[in-house]
Amino acid sequence: MAFIGIFAYSGIYSEYYGLVQTSDEYYMDTNMADGWIDNDNFDDLAVQKVNEFATQTDRQEVVQSVADLEGKPDITLHFIEKGTISKFYTTDGEDFDASDDSGVWIDQRFADARDLHVGDKITFEFDNSTIKKEIKGIGYSPEYIYETSPSSLTPDFSELGFAYLSYKAYPEDLEYNKLLVKYECSDNDFKEKLDDAIDYLSFTKKEDHLSVSKFANEMAQHKMIGDVFPIVFILVTFLTLLTTMTRIVTHQRTQIGILKAVGFKDSTIILHYLSYAFFPVLLGAVLGLVTGPMIIPQMFYPTMTTMYSMPVWHPGFDMSFVYIAILLVVLSVFVTYLTCRRISKENPANTMRPKAPNISSKSFIEKSKLWNRLSFNFRWNVRDARANKFRAFMAIVGVMGCVALLIAAFGMNDSLNELKSWEYDDISHFESKIQLSNEANPMELYYILNESNGSFIMQQSIEIKANDMEDTVTLLASNNTDLISYTDSNRNQIDIDEGDVSISTKLAEKFNLTRGDKIRWHIVGSDEWVTSKIGQIHAEPISQGLIMSPDTLEDQGLNFTPTNILTDEKYGENLDSIKSVTTIEKMKESWDTMTTSVMMMVSVVTVVAVVLAGLVLYNLGILSFTEMEREIATLKVLGFKTNVLRKLLLTQNIIFTFIGFILGIPLGFYFMTLMMDAAGESLYYIPTLTWGNILLCAAITFAISIGVNLLFSDKIKNLDMVEALKDVD
């Protein structure tokens, strides 16, 4: 039990601390920017003004390009002035050199996917320009731990990447459009100074950067899982250790009495039994400390690396692992000491006798007329539970903790499955989503539209402001089409009227907005801000933002620029205006990939919870049998058959299991909501727990309870009647 508790605690937390420590070291080694300022051009005067309140600045020209490779993958090019902030992390080849105009440093994941190596030549096309460079280095960038894919929830590293080049490699006169800054003041103070100093399009602080925020949300969810599950493991483990040591000392009270009678000191006897608690718990805790961080994090890294890119992945360590292990050992020893101390105060003659059964006064129900109408089985178990309240409490709490773990794990599984069904069954009805090129030919676009029998949509990142808050979300502009449905929080279909701007429910809750309120927003990369009145509120499980029709968008003074075509057909024609085509099945697969790490955690928790439930119920069953040996022997003398006695124990187990199960359901549901809330701001979910999984949890719990009871049949048959019925007077 000590091993399982510490194994789960240190293993799950080491995976979380590993993410935190590795990313922090990565950000520090690469001097990650504190903020990014976007503008059409940052001249020397603008940089000089920002330098008055920033500790460090570095200019970049960031452009979107396509590589001259099969499929025309998208590559974000960074033309760097100095390369001192958010530095390129080289894993192969030369370190980045901002004065080298002949080389390019490319994304490790893209290089692996495209089988590119140092020394290869690669050509990029952008803004009617073409440049060909030699790959001088391959590595990572702290700004691209997470890369968003336009056609999938998970990044396809063969279709997108980034590259770093010297500012000297730019083919024309370079106008820097991004300024990276480091500063020591707060984000708000820096932004206020920035507003007073220069004109700019947008400012993004570190915590709002897409890559940083996405990875932070991932770490937050892992932390929440670490906060909930291991604590329950430790609690259940401690309760089980407590009952175990109580049972051992009580069962061996005769031996203790003999030792006292032949002259052994109380301190010697206590030390002997303290070793029962100290050495096994210490051994289990040490094994858990060693193996937990070695095993559990390695189970998650394969799935984490499909979503995120870092040069190093390793488990973390925190002294809390050691403190918890020491605390578990100390508490186990302390509980054993209290148990031994009580027995050591008795004289040797009393200690050699079996422990006198606990006696309780009659309860209200025992004094009522209903009591005599109840079965002997039920009355006997009620009296036994009242006489042994501590054992009953331990049984209920132990079962409750294990059930809460199972309910939380199954609930997360159900909630994620409901999100998937909501998005890809209730909302998305298309077969293919065609992503259009930024330089698409208008005539070719309409050809694709007619050939695919599809519908134009526009999806863009936008920045919104309201009630002194701001966020970067998604804009969807779509005609009335059967290929997309809009829903409310109950997954009922709704219509968004022409002229209305609809905001997602989660975003409205975050900004404290209702119908009739106004918001300001602009498309990222544009300095044209517009003000819109909220006409409706919709619910969207995966992407939060605004929805409106193309006409409504143009009424706001903005152009409707199609970015995708939705169609209910499988479209496979290869045209220059098409960047990529993805199907609804691929989207579902990317969802499954994105949630793999969470589902892995669910599986781990489920297995450990089942093992804990078995050990808890088995240990409590042995404790019950030990404390009831005299009563069971008396009943056997009176003629009760073994099967009847087994039924007595089974009834008690089932009653305690039932109470623990009922109490564990709301606790597990609460744990599940805590962990789903930590999934990030982009997900909106309705906590879900299907009856099927509730019944499965019940089946697991009660099967273990009944199975444990069957193990005691031989103990009842082989009970030493003479020993059990020794007089306690």
Side-chain angles (χ1 to χ4, degrees):
M1 291 300 300
F3 166 74
I4 292 176
I6 300 300
F7 174 83
Y9 182 87
S10 62
I12 293 176
Y13 256 125
S14 69
E15 194 264 346
Y16 161 69
Y17 280 116
L19 298 180
V20 173
Q21 293 167 6
T22 303
S23 60
D24 286 347
E25 291 171 4
Y26 185 32
Y27 290 149
M28 183 177 297
D29 291 343
T30 55
N31 195 30
M32 181 66 161
D34 292 328
W36 293 259
I37 310 169
D38 290 287
N39 202 6
D40 294 330
N41 180 31
F42 288 102
D43 56 23
D44 293 339
L45 179 60
V47 175
Q48 182 180 348
K49 290 182 178 180
V50 174
N51 278 332
E52 293 176 0
F53 49 90
T55 58
Q56 193 177 354
T57 59
D58 194 1
R59 288 185 291 187
Q60 296 183 5
E61 172 71 10
V62 182
V63 299
Q64 299 299 319
S65 77
V66 293
D68 188 15
L69 298 169
E70 182 182 355
K72 297 292 186 179
D74 294 326
I75 303 295
T76 303
L77 302 181
H78 295 252
F79 293 91
I80 311 295
E81 182 179 29
K82 293 182 289 187
T84 56
I85 303 179
S86 296
K87 295 183 290 187
F88 187 83
Y89 188 100
T90 305
T91 56
D92 186 18
E94 305 173 10
D95 289 337
F96 177 75
D97 184 356
S99 63
D100 185 346
D101 62 353
S102 64
V104 62
W105 284 256
I106 66 171
D107 178 7
Q108 176 79 60
R109 306 299 294 272
F110 177 76
D112 291 342
R114 290 285 182 164
D115 195 28
L116 297 173
H117 305 89
V118 173
D120 292 347
K121 303 283 187 178
I122 186 169
T123 300
F124 304 101
E125 300 173 1
F126 62 95
D127 297 340
N128 299 319
S129 299
T130 300
I131 59 174
K132 186 175 183 179
K133 301 295 178 183
E134 178 185 349
I135 298 176
K136 294 289 186 71
I138 298 175
Y140 297 86
S141 167
E143 296 183 10
Y144 291 94
I145 289 181
Y146 172 78
E147 293 183 74
T148 180
S149 177
S151 60
S152 174
L153 293 173
T154 55
D156 183 350
F157 295 106
S158 67
E159 297 298 328
L160 79 163
F162 61 87
Y164 279 38
L165 303 96
S166 165
Y167 70 97
K168 296 180 180 180
Y170 197 78
E172 302 172 358
D173 293 336
L174 186 145
E175 294 182 347
Y176 296 104
N177 60 9
K178 193 175 289 289
L179 183 64
L180 281 61
V181 292
K182 298 283 291 184
Y183 49 85
E184 296 179 349
C185 57
S186 68
D187 295 325
N188 291 334
D189 289 344
F190 180 84
K191 193 171 184 305
E192 289 179 3
K193 295 176 182 178
L194 184 65
D195 291 339
D196 295 335
I198 63 172
D199 293 326
Y200 62 96
L201 294 179
S202 65
F203 169 71
T204 304
K205 57 187 178 183
K206 182 178 177 180
E207 64 183 36
D208 291 337
H209 188 275
L210 177 62
S211 173
V212 176
S213 62
K214 181 68 176 179
F215 196 62
N217 288 336
E218 183 77 26
M219 291 189 292
Q221 188 173 37
H222 287 235
K223 182 180 186 301
M224 185 59 69
I225 293 174
D227 287 342
V228 173
F229 289 135
I231 299 303
V232 178
F233 292 154
I234 294 295
L235 176 62
V236 173
T237 298
F238 173 69
L239 293 178
T240 306
L241 289 172
L242 191 154
T243 55
T244 299
M245 296 314 303
T246 301
R247 173 176 57 81
I248 290 175
V249 173
T250 301
H251 189 67
Q252 296 190 4
R253 59 181 288 116
T254 302
Q255 291 93 315
I256 294 173
I258 294 172
L259 292 173
K260 287 167 66 72
V262 298
F264 279 85
K265 295 181 179 179
D266 289 342
S267 59
T268 303
I269 297 173
I270 290 175
L271 284 174
H272 169 73
Y273 283 97
L274 289 183
S275 67
Y276 276 41
F278 179 76
F279 290 109
V281 176
L282 178 64
L283 178 61
V286 171
L287 287 175
L289 281 174
V290 173
T291 58
M294 291 174 58
I295 295 175
I296 292 183
Q298 300 302 326
M299 299 170 65
F300 295 97
Y301 290 155
T303 57
M304 291 290 291
T305 54
T306 63
M307 287 287 294
Y308 305 101
S309 301
M310 285 199 298
V312 178
W313 296 84
H314 60 71
F317 179 79
D318 188 78
M319 283 303 296
S320 65
F321 303 168
V322 177
Y323 297 150
I324 291 295
I326 292 174
L327 181 63
L328 193 62
V329 173
V330 170
L331 288 176
S332 301
V333 170
F334 179 69
V335 168
T336 307
Y337 170 75
L338 293 179
T339 305
C340 293
R341 188 168 175 269
R342 284 195 297 268
I343 294 180
S344 67
K345 289 184 177 180
E346 300 180 27
N347 59 54
N350 287 335
T351 308
M352 283 188 286
R353 297 188 182 116
K355 181 183 177 182
N358 296 325
I359 300 175
S360 61
S361 59
K362 288 187 176 182
S363 63
F364 172 78
I365 190 174
E366 292 178 76
K367 297 177 181 178
S368 66
K369 295 181 180 180
L370 176 63
W371 181 253
N372 293 326
R373 299 182 181 180
L374 299 175
S375 67
F376 170 78
N377 191 326
F378 185 82
R379 287 184 292 173
W380 188 85
N381 277 297
V382 168
R383 282 177 171 167
D384 180 73
R386 294 190 70 249
N388 299 279
K389 296 182 180 66
F390 178 73
R391 170 163 48 86
F393 172 77
M394 289 297 178
I396 293 171
V397 171
V399 172
M400 182 175 68
C402 296
V403 169
L405 294 176
L406 289 174
I407 290 293
F410 291 156
M412 288 183 67
N413 179 71
D414 287 338
S415 295
L416 291 174
N417 286 337
E418 285 299 304
L419 281 180
K420 179 181 177 182
S421 173
W422 188 359
E423 178 68 27
Y424 298 112
D425 294 334
D426 297 348
I427 293 178
S428 302
H429 309 299
F430 53 86
E431 177 62 32
S432 300
K433 184 176 183 180
I434 305 170
Q435 186 191 2
L436 304 176
S437 170
N438 294 333
E439 292 82 26
N441 185 311
M443 296 297 294
E444 201 167 66
L445 287 185
Y446 281 97
Y447 169 78
I448 299 170
L449 185 70
N450 293 329
E451 285 295 308
S452 65
N453 192 26
S455 177
F456 282 135
I457 65 168
M458 174 182 171
Q459 287 182 304
Q460 292 280 7
S461 294
I462 62 172
E463 183 181 14
I464 70 170
K465 293 182 179 181
N467 295 331
D468 298 325
M469 293 186 290
E470 58 185 65
D471 197 3
T472 301
V473 293
T474 301
L475 165 69
L476 170 63
S478 170
N479 289 303
N480 290 326
T481 171
D482 295 334
L483 300 176
I484 299 179
S485 295
Y486 310 122
T487 59
D488 60 17
S489 296
N490 296 318
R491 296 175 61 172
N492 298 318
Q493 186 171 335
I494 62 173
D495 294 322
I496 296 179
D497 299 331
E498 186 66 45
D500 276 348
V501 173
S502 181
I503 189 171
S504 59
T505 301
K506 187 164 187 177
L507 202 58
E509 292 173 351
K510 176 182 177 180
F511 282 83
N512 193 26
L513 297 171
T514 59
R515 290 185 180 183
D517 291 341
K518 293 184 177 181
I519 58 172
R520 295 185 69 241
W521 59 277
H522 76 108
I523 296 175
V524 173
S526 169
D527 59 351
E528 188 173 353
W529 287 82
V530 297
T531 300
S532 299
K533 183 179 180 180
I534 297 174
Q536 289 184 253
I537 298 177
H538 66 277
E540 163 63 39
I542 292 180
S543 177
Q544 308 308 314
L546 304 181
I547 295 178
M548 64 188 73
S549 69
D551 290 341
T552 303
L553 179 67
E554 293 186 349
D555 289 342
Q556 300 277 341
L558 302 174
N559 293 326
F560 174 72
T561 306
T563 58
N564 302 88
I565 294 177
L566 304 181
T567 174
D568 58 2
E569 302 174 1
K570 289 188 176 181
Y571 192 83
E573 193 169 352
N574 187 14
L575 299 171
D576 291 339
S577 295
I578 296 177
K579 266 189 178 181
S580 64
V581 179
T582 187
T583 64
I584 197 72
E585 289 303 319
K586 288 183 179 179
M587 292 183 180
K588 291 179 180 179
E589 290 174 5
S590 68
W591 169 266
D592 293 336
T593 301
M594 186 181 74
T595 57
T596 299
S597 62
V598 176
M599 300 312 296
M600 177 67 74
M601 187 71 76
V602 167
S603 300
V604 171
V605 170
T606 301
V607 171
V608 176
V610 170
V611 173
L612 277 176
L615 292 175
V616 167
L617 290 172
Y618 180 76
N619 188 65
L620 290 168
I622 294 178
L623 178 62
S624 298
F625 182 83
T626 301
E627 292 184 344
M628 293 188 297
E629 277 185 325
R630 180 179 175 83
E631 290 86 343
I632 292 173
T634 302
L635 293 175
K636 287 192 71 173
V637 170
L638 294 176
F640 282 79
K641 301 293 184 181
T642 299
N643 288 338
V644 176
L645 299 177
R646 288 174 55 190
K647 186 178 178 181
L648 283 177
L649 294 177
L650 177 62
T651 301
Q652 186 175 97
N653 271 7
I654 289 179
I655 290 174
F656 291 159
T657 302
F658 178 78
I659 296 173
F661 178 77
I662 296 300
L663 295 177
I665 291 176
L667 181 61
F669 196 80
Y670 173 69
F671 287 164
M672 182 260 291
T673 57
L674 288 179
M675 288 176 292
M676 289 298 293
D677 285 341
E681 296 184 351
S682 63
L683 292 183
Y684 174 73
Y685 76 100
I686 306 299
T688 305
L689 183 62
T690 62
W691 281 106
N693 273 337
I694 293 178
L695 293 176
L696 177 60
C697 179
I700 292 173
T701 307
F702 283 95
I704 294 174
S705 179
I706 294 171
V708 166
N709 181 263
L710 295 177
L711 295 176
F712 298 124
S713 57
D714 290 338
K715 289 183 176 293
I716 295 175
K717 291 178 182 178
N718 302 325
L719 182 64
D720 188 338
M721 306 287 286
V722 175
E723 182 69 24
L725 289 173
K726 282 183 178 179
D727 194 358
V728 298
D729 296 328

